[in-house]
Structures are given as structure tokens and as C-alpha cells.
Amino acid sequence: MERDTSELFEEFKELTASEFFRRNKQMLGFSGKIRSLTIVFHELITNSLDACEEVGILPDITIELKRLGKDHYLLTHADNGPGIPEEFITKVYCQMFAGSKFRNIQSRGQQGLGCSGCVLLSQMTTGQPVKIRSRYKDGNQLKGIEMTVKLDVKKNTGIILDRQEFETDRTGSGIEIEFKDVSYSMSEQGAYEYIRRTVIGNPHAKIVFKDPTGRKYTFDRATDKIPPLPKEVLPHPKGVTADDIIYLCKSTNKKRFKNLLMDSLSRVSASKIKEIEEATGLDMNKRPKSITWKEAESVVKQFDQMK
Amino acid sequence: MERDTSELFEEFKELTASEFFRRNKQMLGFSGKIRSLTIVFHELITNSLDACEEVGILPDITIELKRLGKDHYLLTHADNGPGIPEEFITKVYCQMFAGSKFRNIQSRGQQGLGCSGCVLLSQMTTGQPVKIRSRYKDGNQLKGIEMTVKLDVKKNTGIILDRQEFETDRTGSGIEIEFKDVSYSMSEQGAYEYIRRTVIGNPHAKIVFKDPTGRKYTFDRATDKIPPLPKEVLPHPKGVTADDIIYLCKSTNKKRFKNLLMDSLSRVSASKIKEIEEATGLDMNKRPKSITWKEAESVVKQFDQMK
């Protein structure tokens, strides 16, 4: 009963990131009814905290969870952050592997899976589109956009079903999103406890939460001091691999290897460069694109020996 | 110190699956030196076992692990499977989310991450390309191809550095691949123990393993009986979600909803269809593309009540 090789490969398929995570939603943390809902809270709240932090706003977050039926909820989330420019709305909410968290700051969220992961879970369990509201500054103007969108799993993009502009006097973003097969709980792993701990860790944040029984919890901020925006901390040389250096070399437009190192890594001074040059015999004025793996490795080795 | 929204989104990036997993290699199981190497063994061996099973060949797998330095190894793997047609070689080894394991069979491997994940880890730790050998039937001819390839992380594709044809009198595929920052161990989590357990679970497989000390272990097959190729088991109706039904409806070229259900799911007979029709009031002759979420949900509900 031997099958032909060509037959075997007829079934060869390429998946988009959305299709992949549709099949492997546990990789996004979506396992178990209670935990899945907590992950949703986590993704939405961390997104709000990060966005507010980026622009120096004291976060004001509201979340309402309405029970629509057994294991069936409508979640309404809104923040006072900077909002999302219209052209990025579907990228943020409907595209896996797209995200803005690629500066080297200590950010809370994951790498571009968060909001899109929530929309995917919603769609997989309810088939419903989500409603997104974004209020943002476009130059000196404030713009308000409300969109109804679905995630096109096969293309890993968003489909806009409806789009309305509205007037606004502030910034912020928010989402109305339905879930089934999730469960709200007061347990350790539940969504309430997640919020309670989040406000402890973020004393400058205010979160208002209306639970499925209609009870409203206000977690007021403990301080009005906006935490300083984390500086973009450059990677420490001792944490850098040869692969990282090659990756930097391929992406840069710097003309000299030494400038790339000094500008991309922390604590690499001109005297360190000289030290490396002497120890490795490598011409630090070389073009980054010409750096070989061996040369990158020799630099990493020198970094490791740095005091 | 308020930043502008537009400034915030300047840093917005879209990643390929390869770039994503380059940053999140622990999601592929690559965490810890011992475990990382075991995962590599797992991916290569399960791929061989699955490929042999698909075409009804008794698996003959050889793996050699040469120590090149501290935490630095060269792995050579070969099997007697059906091989990989040339046009699929870079897809199998250099493209995340591409794979042939999408029939509903009980296969051992993961969903299209396996081999490409190994190549990614190799490249991230050594910067070296990998050498792939494939011997396969092209119609009535046997073809042998040897390729040296790299994974283009930014594009999630393979780059062919070298390509040679050679003559062969059999089929099979194999890879020569280098790793650093991994470690061979006899411990529970180590690669040796992984092989030992794999042959217990697969008594029809023969695995010859040469370890880094040069010792050769031959795990002979305990039976010559090829396990029957698992039938493509259709999903059981009770395990199907509304989202699955909508997904099926979108992908099918069937003209009637009832035929889609009968052909895509197990144990759905004409009489079951009638039962569902009566209980839901849904016209089962509808075009699949016109099925709504609510209708899919009503069918799932009926499935749940099936005996």
C-alpha cells in the first residue's frame, strides 16, 4: 500500500499566523475557561498601560463584563491613552505578528499577539465581529473613528464591516468584544484577581471594573506621579549573541561597524572599541554588511571578557 | 514630556513567523541546553517516522552527533523515507507555518514548525547554513538532490547557496546541521533517553545512533510489521465548534450543506441530517457559504445531543 511521494506533498499547505494560532490557541495562553478570560484582561489592560506610559498619560481604564448567557460574555474596554491612528487599527486588532512594541523598552505586553489574539478568540467562539473605538490626534486635530471589524484568518488581516467618524474632545481607544467558552471567576486565576494585582503593581493606574453581577469596583490610583517613561535601554553587550550582531549588521545603514556597535549597544565606548580591535585584530571601520559570523563571534567573546 | 501618537506608531513593525520565533524560541521548546538538543532530535525523528508511515516503509533512521567544541555539535541525520521533492525542500526546512501534516491523521510531529525550527536554532547559534539531502521518486525516476541552504529570517523563506544533483538507487532524506549552546546528556531530559523511549513506542523503527564519544548504539526493530497507515479520521461531530463549521463552509466546493457535513465529519449519516433538519428547522440543502454563525451553532447544539 505504498503511496506516491507526489501524493504525499499534494496536501502541503502554508498557514498564516492567524490560521496557525487558530489551531494552537493554547500557545497564546488560551487554555481553560477561567484562564482564557484572564488572558484577555491581561492583553487589553497591558496594552492600555503601555500606550499611556509611552505618551505620559495617567491611565484611566474601564472594563465592563456583561454576562449574556452561560460562559458567554460581552466585554467593553476603554482607556484614555493616545488612541490608534486609523490606518493602524486593523493591524493592532486583526494582524498577528504586527505590533509597536519593538523598541528596547521594558514593556508589559507580548510581542504583537495581544489584541489580535483576543479578537481571534472572540471570533472562534462567537463568530461575531468586534467594535473598536479610537480617538487620536491627527496633527492638531482630534479624530474619532468607530469600526466594526472581523479578522480574516486565512489572510491574517482585518476586514472592515463598518466605519463611522465621530467628534471627540479627548484621546483613547476601546473595544467591544464578545466571548463564549470563557468564565469569570473570583479565584486566584480569575479576572478579578488579575485586576487587583495589576493595580498594586501599577499604583498610578486607575481601573474601574463592572463585574457580571453589575457591581462596580473602582481601583483608584495611589499616586498621581506618572512613572518616567522608560528610556530605550540599549542591549547590554554581554547579552548579545553573534546572531544578534549579524542581524544588526543586516538592518543598519551605518557605514562603520564601530559606529553600529557604539549606537546599538549600551556601554560600548570608543575606548572599548579600541580594546576589541586590539584583542581581535578586526578592523572596526569595516562596513557592517561585510562582517562575518566568525568576526561577530570574536566580538561577542571580547564582550564576555569585558569588566 | 508627551509624545505624539504618530511618533508612537512610527516604530510599528510587521514580523514574519521566522522573526517572531527568533525572538520567542522558547515557544518552539528551545529552552535550556539539554532540552533544546532533545527537541531537535524529536523534530527530526518524528518527521522521519511520519514520512515513512505515510508511504508504508519500515523506518531506518541514523543519527550521528559529533562534538566540535564546548556545547558545539554537528548533527547528521538520515532516513529511508520517501524523500522530499525538490520544490518542497526549502519549504520543509526553511519556512515556518508550512507543512504537510494537515490531514486528519494521528501524526507525531507538530504543525509545520519542526524542521524549520531546528534550522532556525542552528542558524541563531552558529550562523552556518545546513546541508540537506533528498532522494525521491519523480514519476518512475529516482532523483538525488543535495542543497546547502540558509533560512532568510526576514522573509521566512530559504536561500539556496548550493545545489547538486546526484545519482541514487533509493529514497530518503537527511540533514547535516550544526548547533551551539546545546548540550548532549544521558539524563532523563537528554537526547539519548529520548531515542530509547522513542524506539519503545515505535517497535517497527530502527534507529542507529552514534554519540559524541564515538560509541554506536543500534536500536533494532522489534517487529517487521509495518503499522497500518492511520486512516484519515474525520472529526467527530461532538468535537466540532461553530467556528470549525464556518471554516469548513468557507473552504469547501460542495454545493449542499448536508453533503459537506456528511463528507467532512464522521458518523454523520443521511438519517442524522434528517434529524438535525427536523430539530433545527434548517434547510440542509443550503449552500455552505450561506450558512450563518447562528445556524452553525444550532447544528453544533444538535451534535451535542446526539447519542
Side-chain angles (χ1 to χ4, degrees), chain A residues 17-29:
Chain A
S18 290
E19 284 175 298
F20 178 80
F21 286 110
R22 181 181 177 277
R23 292 165 194 259
N24 298 282
K25 67 181 166 55
Q26 78 289 347
M27 281 176 91
L28 301 176

Side-chain angles (χ1 to χ4, degrees), chain A residues 12-294:
Chain A
F12 205 87
K13 277 179 198 164
E14 294 167 33
L15 295 182
T16 63
S18 290
E19 284 175 298
F20 178 80
F21 286 110
R22 181 181 177 277
R23 292 165 194 259
N24 298 282
K25 67 181 166 55
Q26 78 289 347
M27 281 176 91
L28 301 176
F30 296 132
S31 60
K33 292 180 179 183
I34 293 173
R35 187 157 180 255
S36 291
L37 188 60
T38 305
I39 295 281
V40 167
F41 273 66
H42 166 77
E43 299 297 353
L44 298 176
I45 291 175
T46 52
N47 249 45
S48 292
L49 292 176
D50 282 343
C52 286
E53 196 162 279
E54 284 273 339
V55 292
I57 292 172
L58 278 170
D60 231 317
I61 301 168
T62 60
I63 303 180
E64 183 176 348
L65 195 62
K66 250 192 213 148
R67 193 172 177 275
L68 302 180
K70 187 179 178 309
D71 295 342
H72 184 188
Y73 296 89
L74 174 68
L75 190 157
T76 310
H77 162 260
D79 68 32
N80 64 336
I84 302 163
E86 181 170 359
E87 66 264 41
F88 290 101
I89 292 178
T90 55
K91 287 184 191 291
V92 169
Y93 287 100
C94 303
Q95 189 174 337
M96 301 271 176
F97 297 163
S100 60
K101 306 227 186 67
F102 298 106
R103 296 192 310 138
N104 287 299
I105 60 159
Q106 180 93 35
S107 71
R108 297 171 187 81
Q110 277 194 355
Q111 300 202 316
L113 294 173
C115 287
S116 312
C118 298
V119 173
L120 180 67
L121 182 70
S122 164
Q123 201 162 306
M124 283 177 67
T125 56
T126 70
Q128 293 303 307
V130 299
K131 203 178 272 180
I132 296 157
R133 260 176 230 101
S134 172
R135 305 155 191 266
Y136 63 99
K137 260 194 219 157
D138 185 12
N140 290 322
Q141 262 210 310
L142 280 167
K143 282 205 175 167
I145 301 283
E146 180 175 297
M147 272 187 188
T148 306
V149 303
K150 288 198 97 166
L151 196 162
D152 186 332
V153 170
K154 297 214 163 189
K155 293 187 185 143
N156 192 33
T157 55
I159 306 168
I160 299 168
L161 303 179
D162 188 49
R163 175 193 175 282
Q164 306 270 348
E165 294 184 23
F166 61 88
E167 292 203 359
T168 182
D169 55 1
R170 60 178 189 86
T171 65
S173 62
I175 187 169
E176 247 182 73
I177 181 168
E178 247 185 69
F179 297 95
K180 284 189 179 175
D181 298 325
V182 301
S183 172
Y184 175 71
S185 152
M186 298 294 283
S187 73
E188 277 269 303
Q189 282 71 42
Y192 177 87
E193 188 60 19
Y194 175 77
I195 295 177
R196 200 186 64 79
R197 292 182 189 187
T198 298
V199 293
I200 294 174
N202 297 274
H204 66 297
K206 177 180 174 185
I207 301 185
V208 176
F209 173 51
K210 203 165 162 187
D211 82 3
T213 69
R215 183 184 292 267
K216 196 165 141 189
Y217 300 91
T218 300
F219 298 94
D220 256 320
R221 58 177 60 86
T223 170
D224 274 344
K225 230 183 117 188
I226 300 179
L229 182 65
K231 285 229 182 62
E232 178 156 4
V233 178
L234 298 175
H236 193 281
K238 281 194 199 290
V240 159
T241 66
D243 192 47
D244 293 329
I245 290 182
I246 296 292
Y247 196 83
L248 283 173
C249 286
K250 278 195 186 153
S251 328
T252 191
N253 45 26
K254 293 263 186 292
K255 292 206 174 107
R256 293 170 175 201
F257 185 49
K258 65 178 182 189
N259 294 333
L260 171 67
L261 293 183
M262 289 193 284
D263 291 356
S264 315
L265 305 175
S266 73
R267 307 173 46 134
V268 178
S269 58
S271 70
K272 278 273 176 279
I273 292 288
K274 217 170 158 185
E275 223 177 82
I276 294 169
E277 188 151 35
E278 278 164 16
T280 60
L282 177 63
D283 173 9
M284 301 300 277
N285 284 319
K286 279 186 84 167
R287 295 183 74 86
K289 299 222 190 316
S290 74
I291 294 295
T292 65
W293 183 268
K294 268 210 150 55

Side-chain angles (χ1 to χ4, degrees), chain B residues 14 37 50 65 75 87 98 145 173 176 203 214-215 225 280 300:
Chain B
E14 294 167 32
L37 187 60
D50 282 343
L65 195 62
L75 190 157
E87 67 265 41
I145 301 284
S173 62
E176 247 182 74
R215 181 184 293 267
K225 229 182 117 188
T280 60
V300 168

Side-chain angles (χ1 to χ4, degrees), chain A residues 1-6 8-24 27-28 51 53-57 82-85 88 91-92 95-103 111-113 122-128 136-137 139 150 153-154 171 180-181 228-229 232 241-245 247 250-251 293 297, chain B residues 1-6 8-24 27-28 51 53-57 82-85 88 91-92 95-103 111-113 122-128 136-137 139 150 153-154 171 180-181 228-229 232 241-245 247 250-251 293 297:
Chain A
M1 200 212 25
E2 224 177 275
R3 294 176 76 211
D4 203 60
T5 319
S6 60
L8 199 61
F9 280 85
E10 261 169 31
E11 292 129 5
F12 205 87
K13 277 179 198 164
E14 294 167 33
L15 295 182
T16 63
S18 290
E19 284 175 298
F20 178 80
F21 286 110
R22 181 181 177 277
R23 292 165 194 259
N24 298 282
M27 281 176 91
L28 301 176
E53 196 162 279
E54 284 273 339
V55 292
I57 292 172
I84 302 163
F88 290 101
K91 287 184 191 291
V92 169
Q95 189 174 337
M96 301 271 176
F97 297 163
S100 60
K101 306 227 186 67
F102 298 106
R103 296 192 310 138
Q111 300 202 316
L113 294 173
S122 164
Q123 201 162 306
M124 283 177 67
T125 56
T126 70
Q128 293 303 307
Y136 63 99
K137 260 194 219 157
K150 288 198 97 166
V153 170
K154 297 214 163 189
T171 65
K180 284 189 179 175
D181 298 325
L229 182 65
E232 178 156 4
T241 66
D243 192 47
D244 293 329
I245 290 182
Y247 196 83
K250 278 195 186 153
S251 328
W293 183 268
E297 273 191 329
Chain B
M1 199 208 33
E2 226 177 273
R3 295 176 76 211
D4 202 60
T5 320
S6 60
L8 200 59
F9 280 85
E10 260 170 32
E11 292 129 4
F12 206 87
K13 278 179 197 164
E14 294 167 32
L15 296 182
T16 63
S18 290
E19 283 175 298
F20 178 81
F21 286 110
R22 180 181 178 276
R23 293 165 192 260
N24 297 281
M27 280 176 93
L28 301 176
E53 195 162 278
E54 285 272 338
V55 292
I57 292 173
I84 301 163
F88 290 101
K91 287 183 190 290
V92 169
Q95 188 174 339
M96 301 271 177
F97 296 163
S100 61
K101 305 225 188 70
F102 298 106
R103 295 191 311 136
Q111 302 202 316
L113 294 172
S122 164
Q123 202 162 306
M124 282 177 67
T125 56
T126 70
Q128 293 304 307
Y136 64 100
K137 260 194 219 157
K150 288 199 97 165
V153 171
K154 297 215 163 189
T171 64
K180 284 190 179 173
D181 298 324
L229 182 65
E232 178 157 2
T241 66
D243 192 47
D244 293 329
I245 290 182
Y247 195 82
K250 279 196 186 152
S251 329
W293 183 269
E297 274 190 329

